Amino acid sequence: MHTILGAGGPSANALTRELLKHNEEIRLVSRRPVKTTGTQMTWKKADLLNYSEVLDAVKGSTVIYMCAGLVYDKEIWKQQWPVIMQNLINVAKETQARLLFFDNVYMYGLVNGPMLESTPYHPVSVKGEVRAKIATQLMEEVKAGNIQATIARAADFYGTDSMNSFLDSMVLDKFAKHQTAQWIGDPKKLHNFTYIPDTGKAMYLLGQDEASGNQIWHLPTAAPITGQEMIALAADIFAARPNFTTVNKLMLQMVGLFKKVVAGTVEMYYQYDHDYHLDSSKFEKAFNFKPSSYKEGIKQWSNTLIST
């Protein structure tokens, strides 16, 4: 039994599709109903803040994948992530199921050079501090031999079936509609993005390989390119003019006065006015996995857009 907490989100959907391809038995868990198809997939309601509901939802699981996200608000993160992580640790102890935690890179802070699995935690944001705390909490339980758990980290992602990604919503979707794109931060800086279908494939592989457990993995991500290069590539694929405007920190702060989600990006602005490089060579070598190129990923995303 493969149980996915946070069903319905981009990473959860990508993982679900991969598990279905391999005829695995899947239990989807979320607060709101998620559409299921066939007999190999079921849905169960649970609030991740409620331990008894989480425990009931994961009983019988071989592998538990934590793919849920929270509202992009640092105060909510401070209040809820520690509770959720303690619940995850407790159910992993109770059920003895393997736990895979889908994570981001906020805990590393501003890194001069590539972010590696061994990069120390030096968060420069409140959300980064929260992520550092819960990641440390999880791996301490692993080191103590209390649970089997893995952390899988991705960069900013793209190619989703929603518009939660800045690259999807502010660049790709704009060019698909032949509109002017927007780029956050300095378009001359390097930045890499994880193709969301690759995260599904990678999480599936980690879930199948017990030897990969009890450590941190960076999920397969293509090498970084500049914002200008990404703009040019995307515009060419959509046969659009490579026109774009830049969004600076002051603009985010102004818009954030009216939109809380945008306000949540202000403290993360350092990721967009400095080079950002997630290194996934550990995973690529271990699983002989080549990340999708940006050209491949964007073309596939555009084909999906046309078909829907």
Side-chain angles (χ1 to χ4, degrees), residues 188-257:
K188 295 180 181 179
K189 297 298 183 182
L190 294 170
H191 202 105
N192 57 347
F193 298 84
T194 305
Y195 185 45
I196 203 71
D198 282 354
T199 70
K201 294 173 184 177
M203 290 283 281
Y204 169 77
L205 291 172
L206 291 172
Q208 295 294 309
D209 183 10
E210 287 194 37
S212 70
N214 300 334
Q215 55 189 299
I216 297 169
W217 295 89
H218 287 173
L219 300 184
T221 302
I225 61 176
T226 67
Q228 291 175 332
E229 291 172 323
M230 182 65 80
I231 291 285
L233 174 62
D236 183 61
I237 290 171
F238 288 102
R241 292 183 178 180
N243 298 333
F244 72 99
T245 60
T246 57
V247 179
N248 60 32
K249 190 173 185 179
L250 179 60
M251 293 167 69
L252 287 176
Q253 290 171 329
M254 295 296 290
V255 176
L257 294 174

Side-chain angles (χ1 to χ4, degrees), residues 110-111 186 189-191 269-276:
L110 181 57
V111 180
D186 185 348
K189 297 298 183 182
L190 294 170
H191 202 105
Y269 188 76
Y270 70 91
Q271 295 185 316
Y272 305 106
D273 66 350
H274 293 82
D275 287 342
Y276 172 114

Side-chain angles (χ1 to χ4, degrees), residues 44-55:
K44 193 167 186 64
K45 181 179 180 179
D47 182 344
L48 297 182
L49 293 167
N50 185 311
Y51 174 69
S52 61
E53 289 186 11
V54 179
L55 180 60

